[in-house]
Amino acid sequence: MSFNIAIDGPAGAGKSTIAKLAAKELSFIYVDTGAMYRTIALGLLRAGTDIDDEEALKKQLSGIAVTISYENGTQQVFLNGENVTGLIRTEQVSDMTSRSSAKPQVRAKLTELQRTLAAKEDVLMDGRDIGTMILPDAQLKIFLTASVKTRAERRYQEQIEKGESCTLEEIERDIEERDYRDSHRETAPLRQAEDAVLVDSSDMTIDEVVTRIVTLARERM
Ligand code: DC
């Protein structure tokens, strides 16, 4: 049987950085489910879909195929066969992802893909509803969080390094809004599974968080 680790938590808690490193150390496959939702959002944006029109959404979704593969251990996402890994991190896609991932039809489309992967391989899967909905029997569940202030400061640094102009206040507001939307939506809201281990990374280094997760996993393997 495969060993599954679920890591959930809000945007900016460091999930993907930490999940990638922990997966490498454990020789697990890292599955970034946010990238899958982003791929669907890109497809919907390209088609100019009104996602609040259920019929239009259904029609567009039937023409969208999301697949993944691994290149040198790094997940690549494909939209109808096109590698879109480099196109899904824009603000426009982030915003559409936050809105479209609240739609049950969108979530239903990815549930099977995620469960099939986890059934076949030892995976470390990160997202929002992995421990609560997708892999309720995961052998290890982590809820990784950090204060809004810490997350905003991290994102601010990233934006500045990319040469993008923004203020810390704007980013804090944006994070608060997205947290609210992700945790108050009807379908698969972001919440900690009862049996998840809470890890607050606000005052921890990346290495400390990775070590914590790897240690917990080894104890249960
Ligand atoms: O983790 P991320 O920032 O790439 O996620 C992008 C968006 O997708 C975010 O608004 C939350 C949503 N998401 C989700 O609803 N369920 C998941 N399993 C992963 C991401």
Side-chain angles (χ1 to χ4, degrees), residues 186-213:
E186 264 178 47
T187 316
L190 170 68
R191 66 178 175 81
Q192 184 181 344
E194 274 177 20
D195 52 351
V197 179
L198 176 67
V199 178
D200 183 335
S201 73
S202 304
D203 298 314
M204 291 171 85
T205 64
I206 290 172
D207 276 354
E208 285 170 341
V209 181
V210 172
T211 303
R212 179 90 212 279
I213 293 171

Side-chain angles (χ1 to χ4, degrees), residues 34-220:
M36 298 175 181
Y37 283 98
R38 287 171 179 274
T39 301
I40 291 190
L42 178 65
L44 295 172
L45 274 173
R46 282 183 174 173
T49 316
D50 172 5
I51 62 166
D52 295 320
D53 176 341
E54 274 194 32
E55 277 308 307
L57 180 61
K58 187 175 170 194
K59 187 159 170 272
Q60 285 304 334
L61 285 175
S62 68
I64 290 178
V66 179
T67 46
I68 66 166
S69 75
Y70 287 85
E71 256 172 40
N72 302 322
T74 306
Q75 176 181 302
Q76 306 290 311
V77 279
F78 297 81
L79 172 60
N80 296 333
E82 174 192 350
N83 189 336
V84 294
T85 313
L87 306 177
I88 56 172
R89 306 277 160 197
T90 63
E91 272 306 302
Q92 197 193 14
V93 173
S94 296
D95 189 62
M96 178 54 130
T97 311
S98 176
R99 294 191 297 117
S100 58
S101 63
K103 304 285 177 194
Q105 294 189 57
V106 171
R107 304 205 73 83
K109 200 170 167 77
L110 292 178
T111 301
E112 200 185 306
L113 173 62
Q114 293 167 2
R115 287 193 178 142
T116 307
L117 273 165
K120 280 198 292 219
E121 313 269 2
D122 290 339
V123 296
L124 194 157
M125 190 175 282
D126 87 8
R128 301 295 189 284
D129 63 337
I130 310 305
T132 50
M133 304 280 295
I134 303 294
L135 307 176
D137 297 325
Q139 288 89 339
L140 176 61
K141 297 179 187 176
I142 304 286
F143 194 79
L144 184 64
T145 185
S147 67
V148 170
K149 191 165 163 283
T150 304
R151 290 187 282 141
E153 279 165 3
R154 287 176 188 163
R155 172 113 64 90
Y156 180 71
Q157 281 309 326
E158 276 170 20
Q159 300 291 90
I160 296 296
E161 277 160 29
K162 275 197 237 165
E164 286 176 29
S165 72
C166 57
T167 69
L168 193 57
E169 290 70 33
E170 271 167 12
I171 293 182
E172 273 193 32
R173 213 175 326 122
D174 187 51
I175 287 182
E176 274 168 344
E177 270 174 30
R178 232 171 252 176
D179 277 2
Y180 187 86
R181 208 154 47 189
D182 287 350
S183 54
H184 285 78
R185 65 188 182 198
E186 264 178 47
T187 316
L190 170 68
R191 66 178 175 81
Q192 184 181 344
E194 274 177 20
D195 52 351
V197 179
L198 176 67
V199 178
D200 183 335
S201 73
S202 304
D203 298 314
M204 291 171 85
T205 64
I206 290 172
D207 276 354
E208 285 170 341
V209 181
V210 172
T211 303
R212 179 90 212 279
I213 293 171
V214 169
T215 306
L216 284 166
R218 293 210 167 114
E219 280 168 10
R220 297 178 188 203

Side-chain angles (χ1 to χ4, degrees), residues 15-29:
K15 283 194 310 290
S16 64
T17 307
I18 283 154
K20 258 182 230 159
L21 291 168
K24 195 163 178 217
E25 200 156 327
L26 291 162
S27 299
F28 276 31
I29 288 177

